Amino acid sequence: MNELELILQLFSVFFLIGMFTFGGGYAIMSLIQSEIVSARGWISESLFTDIAAISQTTPGPIGLNCSTYVGYEVMRNAGAGQLVSVLGSVTASLAIVLPSFLIMLVIVRFYAKFHENRHFKSAMDSLKPIVVGMIAAAGIALTLHIEPGKSVSVVSENFPDMKSWIIAAVAFAASYFGKQGPIRVILGGAVLGILLY
């Protein structure tokens, strides 16, 4: 596959992912992982986990940060040069935001007319459990490697030892029981990672 074909595939894959961004970036992490790692094998599971972690700690929306980084890495892994790899970043980034932009243009035009409509409200309310499920799927995809009908195993690159499980447990407890915001949890996880590794 040549570089132009790969760029076009990147655009189509991220455009399709961008069509399902209801719930924000965390909700589409499992879609990105499924399409880029599992279905196409463009990057490894461990690299995707690193990308997800970096995307959370850098400023900006996680879905956009992730797609930018993934676009670069996909092209780099295919042997493209620096400039073409940057074009991969730009392509993936544009493709992931374009559907949302177009959808918002349509919604803004019709929202004033339909926002009190019970069918419209019902449709918006029905998206909430879907978003929760997609976020849960992202967490499971980063934790477990599932081969349907074969096996379920922990992603060893993400949880190589007991220290990584302790960091995950502390992060969960701080977030769920301690009601700490995501920025504090991410920074705390980074500090624990530096101290323990």
PDB file of all heavy atoms in Angstrom, residues 28-68:
ATOM      1  N   ILE A  28     -14.962   7.446  22.525  1.00  0.00           N
ATOM      2  CA  ILE A  28     -14.523   6.877  21.248  1.00  0.00           C
ATOM      3  C   ILE A  28     -13.166   6.196  21.328  1.00  0.00           C
ATOM      4  O   ILE A  28     -12.697   5.655  20.328  1.00  0.00           O
ATOM      5  CB  ILE A  28     -14.497   7.940  20.129  1.00  0.00           C
ATOM      6  CG1 ILE A  28     -13.515   9.046  20.447  1.00  0.00           C
ATOM      7  CG2 ILE A  28     -15.865   8.460  19.842  1.00  0.00           C
ATOM      8  CD1 ILE A  28     -13.238   9.940  19.266  1.00  0.00           C
ATOM      9  N   MET A  29     -12.542   6.175  22.502  1.00  0.00           N
ATOM     10  CA  MET A  29     -11.242   5.514  22.617  1.00  0.00           C
ATOM     11  C   MET A  29     -11.332   4.043  22.225  1.00  0.00           C
ATOM     12  O   MET A  29     -10.444   3.516  21.569  1.00  0.00           O
ATOM     13  CB  MET A  29     -10.683   5.657  24.038  1.00  0.00           C
ATOM     14  CG  MET A  29     -10.288   7.078  24.392  1.00  0.00           C
ATOM     15  SD  MET A  29      -9.067   7.796  23.285  1.00  0.00           S
ATOM     16  CE  MET A  29      -7.610   6.927  23.820  1.00  0.00           C
ATOM     17  N   SER A  30     -12.430   3.383  22.618  1.00  0.00           N
ATOM     18  CA  SER A  30     -12.559   1.967  22.251  1.00  0.00           C
ATOM     19  C   SER A  30     -12.735   1.812  20.744  1.00  0.00           C
ATOM     20  O   SER A  30     -12.270   0.833  20.160  1.00  0.00           O
ATOM     21  CB  SER A  30     -13.725   1.314  22.991  1.00  0.00           C
ATOM     22  OG  SER A  30     -14.945   1.928  22.644  1.00  0.00           O
ATOM     23  N   LEU A  31     -13.401   2.779  20.090  1.00  0.00           N
ATOM     24  CA  LEU A  31     -13.537   2.715  18.633  1.00  0.00           C
ATOM     25  C   LEU A  31     -12.182   2.880  17.954  1.00  0.00           C
ATOM     26  O   LEU A  31     -11.866   2.168  17.000  1.00  0.00           O
ATOM     27  CB  LEU A  31     -14.495   3.804  18.141  1.00  0.00           C
ATOM     28  CG  LEU A  31     -15.966   3.656  18.494  1.00  0.00           C
ATOM     29  CD1 LEU A  31     -16.746   4.876  18.026  1.00  0.00           C
ATOM     30  CD2 LEU A  31     -16.543   2.403  17.879  1.00  0.00           C
ATOM     31  N   ILE A  32     -11.388   3.819  18.441  1.00  0.00           N
ATOM     32  CA  ILE A  32     -10.061   4.032  17.866  1.00  0.00           C
ATOM     33  C   ILE A  32      -9.214   2.778  18.058  1.00  0.00           C
ATOM     34  O   ILE A  32      -8.570   2.289  17.125  1.00  0.00           O
ATOM     35  CB  ILE A  32      -9.375   5.267  18.480  1.00  0.00           C
ATOM     36  CG1 ILE A  32     -10.134   6.543  18.116  1.00  0.00           C
ATOM     37  CG2 ILE A  32      -7.922   5.369  18.008  1.00  0.00           C
ATOM     38  CD1 ILE A  32      -9.625   7.796  18.804  1.00  0.00           C
ATOM     39  N   GLN A  33      -9.238   2.223  19.270  1.00  0.00           N
ATOM     40  CA  GLN A  33      -8.464   1.016  19.559  1.00  0.00           C
ATOM     41  C   GLN A  33      -8.911  -0.145  18.678  1.00  0.00           C
ATOM     42  O   GLN A  33      -8.099  -0.863  18.103  1.00  0.00           O
ATOM     43  CB  GLN A  33      -8.598   0.660  21.043  1.00  0.00           C
ATOM     44  CG  GLN A  33      -7.688  -0.441  21.519  1.00  0.00           C
ATOM     45  CD  GLN A  33      -8.280  -1.833  21.372  1.00  0.00           C
ATOM     46  OE1 GLN A  33      -9.469  -1.999  21.173  1.00  0.00           O
ATOM     47  NE2 GLN A  33      -7.423  -2.827  21.453  1.00  0.00           N
ATOM     48  N   SER A  34     -10.207  -0.296  18.538  1.00  0.00           N
ATOM     49  CA  SER A  34     -10.752  -1.396  17.740  1.00  0.00           C
ATOM     50  C   SER A  34     -10.355  -1.275  16.267  1.00  0.00           C
ATOM     51  O   SER A  34      -9.929  -2.256  15.637  1.00  0.00           O
ATOM     52  CB  SER A  34     -12.274  -1.421  17.875  1.00  0.00           C
ATOM     53  OG  SER A  34     -12.833  -2.374  17.021  1.00  0.00           O
ATOM     54  N   GLU A  35     -10.485  -0.076  15.709  1.00  0.00           N
ATOM     55  CA  GLU A  35     -10.202   0.116  14.284  1.00  0.00           C
ATOM     56  C   GLU A  35      -8.710   0.126  13.964  1.00  0.00           C
ATOM     57  O   GLU A  35      -8.272  -0.456  12.971  1.00  0.00           O
ATOM     58  CB  GLU A  35     -10.833   1.425  13.794  1.00  0.00           C
ATOM     59  CG  GLU A  35     -12.336   1.391  13.691  1.00  0.00           C
ATOM     60  CD  GLU A  35     -12.830   0.408  12.654  1.00  0.00           C
ATOM     61  OE1 GLU A  35     -12.226   0.312  11.561  1.00  0.00           O
ATOM     62  OE2 GLU A  35     -13.811  -0.289  12.926  1.00  0.00           O
ATOM     63  N   ILE A  36      -7.928   0.785  14.792  1.00  0.00           N
ATOM     64  CA  ILE A  36      -6.516   1.003  14.482  1.00  0.00           C
ATOM     65  C   ILE A  36      -5.642  -0.162  14.925  1.00  0.00           C
ATOM     66  O   ILE A  36      -4.741  -0.591  14.204  1.00  0.00           O
ATOM     67  CB  ILE A  36      -6.010   2.322  15.118  1.00  0.00           C
ATOM     68  CG1 ILE A  36      -6.843   3.506  14.638  1.00  0.00           C
ATOM     69  CG2 ILE A  36      -4.533   2.544  14.835  1.00  0.00           C
ATOM     70  CD1 ILE A  36      -6.861   3.703  13.146  1.00  0.00           C
ATOM     71  N   VAL A  37      -5.922  -0.705  16.126  1.00  0.00           N
ATOM     72  CA  VAL A  37      -5.086  -1.776  16.671  1.00  0.00           C
ATOM     73  C   VAL A  37      -5.624  -3.147  16.275  1.00  0.00           C
ATOM     74  O   VAL A  37      -4.921  -3.946  15.660  1.00  0.00           O
ATOM     75  CB  VAL A  37      -4.992  -1.666  18.214  1.00  0.00           C
ATOM     76  CG1 VAL A  37      -4.161  -2.804  18.789  1.00  0.00           C
ATOM     77  CG2 VAL A  37      -4.407  -0.330  18.620  1.00  0.00           C
ATOM     78  N   SER A  38      -6.877  -3.413  16.617  1.00  0.00           N
ATOM     79  CA  SER A  38      -7.419  -4.763  16.417  1.00  0.00           C
ATOM     80  C   SER A  38      -7.727  -5.068  14.951  1.00  0.00           C
ATOM     81  O   SER A  38      -7.278  -6.080  14.417  1.00  0.00           O
ATOM     82  CB  SER A  38      -8.693  -4.937  17.253  1.00  0.00           C
ATOM     83  OG  SER A  38      -8.432  -4.702  18.613  1.00  0.00           O
ATOM     84  N   ALA A  39      -8.499  -4.212  14.298  1.00  0.00           N
ATOM     85  CA  ALA A  39      -8.946  -4.516  12.935  1.00  0.00           C
ATOM     86  C   ALA A  39      -7.833  -4.374  11.898  1.00  0.00           C
ATOM     87  O   ALA A  39      -7.720  -5.197  10.996  1.00  0.00           O
ATOM     88  CB  ALA A  39     -10.124  -3.615  12.559  1.00  0.00           C
ATOM     89  N   ARG A  40      -7.003  -3.352  12.021  1.00  0.00           N
ATOM     90  CA  ARG A  40      -6.017  -3.088  10.974  1.00  0.00           C
ATOM     91  C   ARG A  40      -4.575  -3.377  11.378  1.00  0.00           C
ATOM     92  O   ARG A  40      -3.713  -3.474  10.527  1.00  0.00           O
ATOM     93  CB  ARG A  40      -6.148  -1.632  10.500  1.00  0.00           C
ATOM     94  CG  ARG A  40      -7.433  -1.431   9.714  1.00  0.00           C
ATOM     95  CD  ARG A  40      -7.683   0.007   9.357  1.00  0.00           C
ATOM     96  NE  ARG A  40      -8.825   0.097   8.477  1.00  0.00           N
ATOM     97  CZ  ARG A  40     -10.087  -0.019   8.876  1.00  0.00           C
ATOM     98  NH1 ARG A  40     -10.358  -0.228  10.140  1.00  0.00           N
ATOM     99  NH2 ARG A  40     -11.086   0.072   8.014  1.00  0.00           N
ATOM    100  N   GLY A  41      -4.317  -3.453  12.682  1.00  0.00           N
ATOM    101  CA  GLY A  41      -2.961  -3.739  13.141  1.00  0.00           C
ATOM    102  C   GLY A  41      -1.949  -2.678  12.761  1.00  0.00           C
ATOM    103  O   GLY A  41      -0.757  -2.964  12.590  1.00  0.00           O
ATOM    104  N   TRP A  42      -2.410  -1.433  12.631  1.00  0.00           N
ATOM    105  CA  TRP A  42      -1.503  -0.350  12.236  1.00  0.00           C
ATOM    106  C   TRP A  42      -0.516   0.001  13.330  1.00  0.00           C
ATOM    107  O   TRP A  42       0.596   0.436  13.055  1.00  0.00           O
ATOM    108  CB  TRP A  42      -2.304   0.887  11.830  1.00  0.00           C
ATOM    109  CG  TRP A  42      -2.925   0.787  10.470  1.00  0.00           C
ATOM    110  CD1 TRP A  42      -2.613  -0.104   9.482  1.00  0.00           C
ATOM    111  CD2 TRP A  42      -3.963   1.606   9.934  1.00  0.00           C
ATOM    112  NE1 TRP A  42      -3.388   0.122   8.372  1.00  0.00           N
ATOM    113  CE2 TRP A  42      -4.230   1.166   8.620  1.00  0.00           C
ATOM    114  CE3 TRP A  42      -4.701   2.672  10.440  1.00  0.00           C
ATOM    115  CZ2 TRP A  42      -5.188   1.748   7.805  1.00  0.00           C
ATOM    116  CZ3 TRP A  42      -5.659   3.254   9.637  1.00  0.00           C
ATOM    117  CH2 TRP A  42      -5.904   2.800   8.331  1.00  0.00           C
ATOM    118  N   ILE A  43      -0.931  -0.131  14.589  1.00  0.00           N
ATOM    119  CA  ILE A  43      -0.024   0.093  15.720  1.00  0.00           C
ATOM    120  C   ILE A  43      -0.267  -0.999  16.751  1.00  0.00           C
ATOM    121  O   ILE A  43      -1.303  -1.663  16.732  1.00  0.00           O
ATOM    122  CB  ILE A  43      -0.193   1.499  16.359  1.00  0.00           C
ATOM    123  CG1 ILE A  43      -1.602   1.697  16.893  1.00  0.00           C
ATOM    124  CG2 ILE A  43       0.194   2.598  15.391  1.00  0.00           C
ATOM    125  CD1 ILE A  43      -1.790   2.991  17.664  1.00  0.00           C
ATOM    126  N   SER A  44       0.668  -1.165  17.679  1.00  0.00           N
ATOM    127  CA  SER A  44       0.554  -2.217  18.691  1.00  0.00           C
ATOM    128  C   SER A  44      -0.333  -1.764  19.849  1.00  0.00           C
ATOM    129  O   SER A  44      -0.588  -0.575  20.043  1.00  0.00           O
ATOM    130  CB  SER A  44       1.938  -2.578  19.227  1.00  0.00           C
ATOM    131  OG  SER A  44       2.469  -1.491  19.972  1.00  0.00           O
ATOM    132  N   GLU A  45      -0.771  -2.745  20.629  1.00  0.00           N
ATOM    133  CA  GLU A  45      -1.594  -2.488  21.816  1.00  0.00           C
ATOM    134  C   GLU A  45      -0.845  -1.601  22.806  1.00  0.00           C
ATOM    135  O   GLU A  45      -1.392  -0.656  23.365  1.00  0.00           O
ATOM    136  CB  GLU A  45      -1.964  -3.812  22.477  1.00  0.00           C
ATOM    137  CG  GLU A  45      -2.997  -3.701  23.568  1.00  0.00           C
ATOM    138  CD  GLU A  45      -4.410  -3.653  23.025  1.00  0.00           C
ATOM    139  OE1 GLU A  45      -4.779  -4.497  22.197  1.00  0.00           O
ATOM    140  OE2 GLU A  45      -5.133  -2.733  23.438  1.00  0.00           O
ATOM    141  N   SER A  46       0.435  -1.907  23.030  1.00  0.00           N
ATOM    142  CA  SER A  46       1.205  -1.133  24.007  1.00  0.00           C
ATOM    143  C   SER A  46       1.425   0.301  23.534  1.00  0.00           C
ATOM    144  O   SER A  46       1.362   1.240  24.336  1.00  0.00           O
ATOM    145  CB  SER A  46       2.543  -1.803  24.309  1.00  0.00           C
ATOM    146  OG  SER A  46       3.302  -1.937  23.133  1.00  0.00           O
ATOM    147  N   LEU A  47       1.660   0.487  22.229  1.00  0.00           N
ATOM    148  CA  LEU A  47       1.818   1.849  21.711  1.00  0.00           C
ATOM    149  C   LEU A  47       0.513   2.622  21.841  1.00  0.00           C
ATOM    150  O   LEU A  47       0.521   3.802  22.207  1.00  0.00           O
ATOM    151  CB  LEU A  47       2.283   1.836  20.253  1.00  0.00           C
ATOM    152  CG  LEU A  47       2.457   3.204  19.588  1.00  0.00           C
ATOM    153  CD1 LEU A  47       3.433   4.078  20.357  1.00  0.00           C
ATOM    154  CD2 LEU A  47       2.918   3.044  18.140  1.00  0.00           C
ATOM    155  N   PHE A  48      -0.617   1.962  21.572  1.00  0.00           N
ATOM    156  CA  PHE A  48      -1.901   2.642  21.723  1.00  0.00           C
ATOM    157  C   PHE A  48      -2.122   3.066  23.169  1.00  0.00           C
ATOM    158  O   PHE A  48      -2.627   4.156  23.439  1.00  0.00           O
ATOM    159  CB  PHE A  48      -3.066   1.757  21.261  1.00  0.00           C
ATOM    160  CG  PHE A  48      -4.389   2.437  21.420  1.00  0.00           C
ATOM    161  CD1 PHE A  48      -4.786   3.425  20.532  1.00  0.00           C
ATOM    162  CD2 PHE A  48      -5.231   2.127  22.480  1.00  0.00           C
ATOM    163  CE1 PHE A  48      -5.994   4.092  20.695  1.00  0.00           C
ATOM    164  CE2 PHE A  48      -6.443   2.773  22.645  1.00  0.00           C
ATOM    165  CZ  PHE A  48      -6.827   3.761  21.744  1.00  0.00           C
ATOM    166  N   THR A  49      -1.740   2.220  24.117  1.00  0.00           N
ATOM    167  CA  THR A  49      -1.887   2.569  25.536  1.00  0.00           C
ATOM    168  C   THR A  49      -1.039   3.787  25.867  1.00  0.00           C
ATOM    169  O   THR A  49      -1.491   4.691  26.580  1.00  0.00           O
ATOM    170  CB  THR A  49      -1.475   1.384  26.421  1.00  0.00           C
ATOM    171  OG1 THR A  49      -2.300   0.271  26.082  1.00  0.00           O
ATOM    172  CG2 THR A  49      -1.655   1.707  27.892  1.00  0.00           C
ATOM    173  N   ASP A  50       0.189   3.831  25.343  1.00  0.00           N
ATOM    174  CA  ASP A  50       1.042   5.003  25.557  1.00  0.00           C
ATOM    175  C   ASP A  50       0.405   6.253  24.946  1.00  0.00           C
ATOM    176  O   ASP A  50       0.408   7.333  25.556  1.00  0.00           O
ATOM    177  CB  ASP A  50       2.426   4.782  24.938  1.00  0.00           C
ATOM    178  CG  ASP A  50       3.232   3.724  25.670  1.00  0.00           C
ATOM    179  OD1 ASP A  50       2.882   3.389  26.820  1.00  0.00           O
ATOM    180  OD2 ASP A  50       4.197   3.207  25.075  1.00  0.00           O
ATOM    181  N   ILE A  51      -0.146   6.098  23.749  1.00  0.00           N
ATOM    182  CA  ILE A  51      -0.802   7.224  23.076  1.00  0.00           C
ATOM    183  C   ILE A  51      -1.991   7.710  23.903  1.00  0.00           C
ATOM    184  O   ILE A  51      -2.186   8.918  24.082  1.00  0.00           O
ATOM    185  CB  ILE A  51      -1.245   6.829  21.653  1.00  0.00           C
ATOM    186  CG1 ILE A  51      -0.021   6.674  20.751  1.00  0.00           C
ATOM    187  CG2 ILE A  51      -2.209   7.852  21.064  1.00  0.00           C
ATOM    188  CD1 ILE A  51      -0.326   6.080  19.387  1.00  0.00           C
ATOM    189  N   ALA A  52      -2.788   6.769  24.423  1.00  0.00           N
ATOM    190  CA  ALA A  52      -3.948   7.137  25.245  1.00  0.00           C
ATOM    191  C   ALA A  52      -3.506   7.891  26.491  1.00  0.00           C
ATOM    192  O   ALA A  52      -4.121   8.899  26.879  1.00  0.00           O
ATOM    193  CB  ALA A  52      -4.751   5.896  25.621  1.00  0.00           C
ATOM    194  N   ALA A  53      -2.427   7.431  27.126  1.00  0.00           N
ATOM    195  CA  ALA A  53      -1.930   8.095  28.334  1.00  0.00           C
ATOM    196  C   ALA A  53      -1.416   9.499  28.024  1.00  0.00           C
ATOM    197  O   ALA A  53      -1.736  10.460  28.731  1.00  0.00           O
ATOM    198  CB  ALA A  53      -0.825   7.261  28.973  1.00  0.00           C
ATOM    199  N   ILE A  54      -0.644   9.627  26.960  1.00  0.00           N
ATOM    200  CA  ILE A  54      -0.107  10.944  26.577  1.00  0.00           C
ATOM    201  C   ILE A  54      -1.240  11.875  26.165  1.00  0.00           C
ATOM    202  O   ILE A  54      -1.225  13.063  26.495  1.00  0.00           O
ATOM    203  CB  ILE A  54       0.938  10.792  25.450  1.00  0.00           C
ATOM    204  CG1 ILE A  54       2.184  10.104  26.000  1.00  0.00           C
ATOM    205  CG2 ILE A  54       1.287  12.138  24.847  1.00  0.00           C
ATOM    206  CD1 ILE A  54       3.172   9.653  24.946  1.00  0.00           C
ATOM    207  N   SER A  55      -2.248  11.335  25.478  1.00  0.00           N
ATOM    208  CA  SER A  55      -3.375  12.152  25.024  1.00  0.00           C
ATOM    209  C   SER A  55      -4.168  12.723  26.191  1.00  0.00           C
ATOM    210  O   SER A  55      -4.761  13.798  26.083  1.00  0.00           O
ATOM    211  CB  SER A  55      -4.304  11.323  24.134  1.00  0.00           C
ATOM    212  OG  SER A  55      -3.629  10.902  22.979  1.00  0.00           O
ATOM    213  N   GLN A  56      -4.180  11.987  27.315  1.00  0.00           N
ATOM    214  CA  GLN A  56      -4.889  12.475  28.499  1.00  0.00           C
ATOM    215  C   GLN A  56      -4.114  13.572  29.214  1.00  0.00           C
ATOM    216  O   GLN A  56      -4.707  14.453  29.831  1.00  0.00           O
ATOM    217  CB  GLN A  56      -5.132  11.324  29.478  1.00  0.00           C
ATOM    218  CG  GLN A  56      -6.141  10.324  28.980  1.00  0.00           C
ATOM    219  CD  GLN A  56      -6.346   9.215  29.985  1.00  0.00           C
ATOM    220  OE1 GLN A  56      -6.761   9.468  31.103  1.00  0.00           O
ATOM    221  NE2 GLN A  56      -6.059   7.997  29.587  1.00  0.00           N
ATOM    222  N   THR A  57      -2.799  13.488  29.155  1.00  0.00           N
ATOM    223  CA  THR A  57      -1.991  14.440  29.920  1.00  0.00           C
ATOM    224  C   THR A  57      -1.631  15.698  29.139  1.00  0.00           C
ATOM    225  O   THR A  57      -1.137  16.656  29.727  1.00  0.00           O
ATOM    226  CB  THR A  57      -0.690  13.773  30.415  1.00  0.00           C
ATOM    227  OG1 THR A  57       0.027  13.264  29.291  1.00  0.00           O
ATOM    228  CG2 THR A  57      -0.993  12.644  31.379  1.00  0.00           C
ATOM    229  N   THR A  58      -1.860  15.700  27.832  1.00  0.00           N
ATOM    230  CA  THR A  58      -1.570  16.901  27.045  1.00  0.00           C
ATOM    231  C   THR A  58      -2.836  17.749  26.916  1.00  0.00           C
ATOM    232  O   THR A  58      -3.944  17.216  26.935  1.00  0.00           O
ATOM    233  CB  THR A  58      -1.043  16.532  25.642  1.00  0.00           C
ATOM    234  OG1 THR A  58      -1.941  15.601  25.027  1.00  0.00           O
ATOM    235  CG2 THR A  58       0.331  15.906  25.719  1.00  0.00           C
ATOM    236  N   PRO A  59      -2.684  19.057  26.797  1.00  0.00           N
ATOM    237  CA  PRO A  59      -3.865  19.921  26.695  1.00  0.00           C
ATOM    238  C   PRO A  59      -4.680  19.632  25.437  1.00  0.00           C
ATOM    239  O   PRO A  59      -4.130  19.287  24.395  1.00  0.00           O
ATOM    240  CB  PRO A  59      -3.260  21.340  26.618  1.00  0.00           C
ATOM    241  CG  PRO A  59      -1.867  21.202  27.120  1.00  0.00           C
ATOM    242  CD  PRO A  59      -1.435  19.803  26.805  1.00  0.00           C
ATOM    243  N   GLY A  60      -5.977  19.748  25.566  1.00  0.00           N
ATOM    244  CA  GLY A  60      -6.867  19.559  24.425  1.00  0.00           C
ATOM    245  C   GLY A  60      -7.732  18.323  24.583  1.00  0.00           C
ATOM    246  O   GLY A  60      -7.543  17.535  25.504  1.00  0.00           O
ATOM    247  N   PRO A  61      -8.687  18.159  23.672  1.00  0.00           N
ATOM    248  CA  PRO A  61      -9.598  17.006  23.739  1.00  0.00           C
ATOM    249  C   PRO A  61      -8.845  15.700  23.504  1.00  0.00           C
ATOM    250  O   PRO A  61      -8.032  15.606  22.581  1.00  0.00           O
ATOM    251  CB  PRO A  61     -10.588  17.257  22.602  1.00  0.00           C
ATOM    252  CG  PRO A  61     -10.368  18.667  22.155  1.00  0.00           C
ATOM    253  CD  PRO A  61      -8.993  19.053  22.567  1.00  0.00           C
ATOM    254  N   ILE A  62      -9.129  14.696  24.320  1.00  0.00           N
ATOM    255  CA  ILE A  62      -8.397  13.428  24.248  1.00  0.00           C
ATOM    256  C   ILE A  62      -8.567  12.745  22.893  1.00  0.00           C
ATOM    257  O   ILE A  62      -7.620  12.183  22.351  1.00  0.00           O
ATOM    258  CB  ILE A  62      -8.789  12.481  25.400  1.00  0.00           C
ATOM    259  CG1 ILE A  62      -7.931  11.216  25.362  1.00  0.00           C
ATOM    260  CG2 ILE A  62     -10.261  12.153  25.353  1.00  0.00           C
ATOM    261  CD1 ILE A  62      -8.112  10.304  26.542  1.00  0.00           C
ATOM    262  N   GLY A  63      -9.775  12.786  22.321  1.00  0.00           N
ATOM    263  CA  GLY A  63      -9.998  12.137  21.034  1.00  0.00           C
ATOM    264  C   GLY A  63      -9.173  12.771  19.931  1.00  0.00           C
ATOM    265  O   GLY A  63      -8.599  12.076  19.076  1.00  0.00           O
ATOM    266  N   LEU A  64      -9.091  14.084  19.941  1.00  0.00           N
ATOM    267  CA  LEU A  64      -8.299  14.799  18.935  1.00  0.00           C
ATOM    268  C   LEU A  64      -6.809  14.558  19.153  1.00  0.00           C
ATOM    269  O   LEU A  64      -6.064  14.281  18.207  1.00  0.00           O
ATOM    270  CB  LEU A  64      -8.613  16.294  18.979  1.00  0.00           C
ATOM    271  CG  LEU A  64      -7.865  17.177  17.985  1.00  0.00           C
ATOM    272  CD1 LEU A  64      -8.133  16.729  16.556  1.00  0.00           C
ATOM    273  CD2 LEU A  64      -8.265  18.630  18.171  1.00  0.00           C
ATOM    274  N   ASN A  65      -6.361  14.649  20.409  1.00  0.00           N
ATOM    275  CA  ASN A  65      -4.951  14.385  20.716  1.00  0.00           C
ATOM    276  C   ASN A  65      -4.556  12.979  20.277  1.00  0.00           C
ATOM    277  O   ASN A  65      -3.502  12.774  19.675  1.00  0.00           O
ATOM    278  CB  ASN A  65      -4.683  14.534  22.218  1.00  0.00           C
ATOM    279  CG  ASN A  65      -4.804  15.956  22.695  1.00  0.00           C
ATOM    280  OD1 ASN A  65      -4.866  16.885  21.906  1.00  0.00           O
ATOM    281  ND2 ASN A  65      -4.865  16.135  23.995  1.00  0.00           N
ATOM    282  N   CYS A  66      -5.410  12.020  20.586  1.00  0.00           N
ATOM    283  CA  CYS A  66      -5.134  10.625  20.238  1.00  0.00           C
ATOM    284  C   CYS A  66      -5.070  10.440  18.724  1.00  0.00           C
ATOM    285  O   CYS A  66      -4.153   9.791  18.208  1.00  0.00           O
ATOM    286  CB  CYS A  66      -6.200   9.729  20.864  1.00  0.00           C
ATOM    287  SG  CYS A  66      -5.918   7.977  20.586  1.00  0.00           S
ATOM    288  N   SER A  67      -6.027  11.001  18.009  1.00  0.00           N
ATOM    289  CA  SER A  67      -6.032  10.827  16.559  1.00  0.00           C
ATOM    290  C   SER A  67      -4.810  11.486  15.913  1.00  0.00           C
ATOM    291  O   SER A  67      -4.239  10.953  14.957  1.00  0.00           O
ATOM    292  CB  SER A  67      -7.327  11.368  15.948  1.00  0.00           C
ATOM    293  OG  SER A  67      -7.452  12.758  16.177  1.00  0.00           O
ATOM    294  N   THR A  68      -4.395  12.625  16.436  1.00  0.00           N
ATOM    295  CA  THR A  68      -3.208  13.302  15.914  1.00  0.00           C
ATOM    296  C   THR A  68      -1.972  12.421  16.060  1.00  0.00           C
ATOM    297  O   THR A  68      -1.206  12.230  15.115  1.00  0.00           O
ATOM    298  CB  THR A  68      -2.992  14.645  16.641  1.00  0.00           C
ATOM    299  OG1 THR A  68      -4.156  15.457  16.476  1.00  0.00           O
ATOM    300  CG2 THR A  68      -1.785  15.385  16.115  1.00  0.00           C
TER     301      THR A  68
END
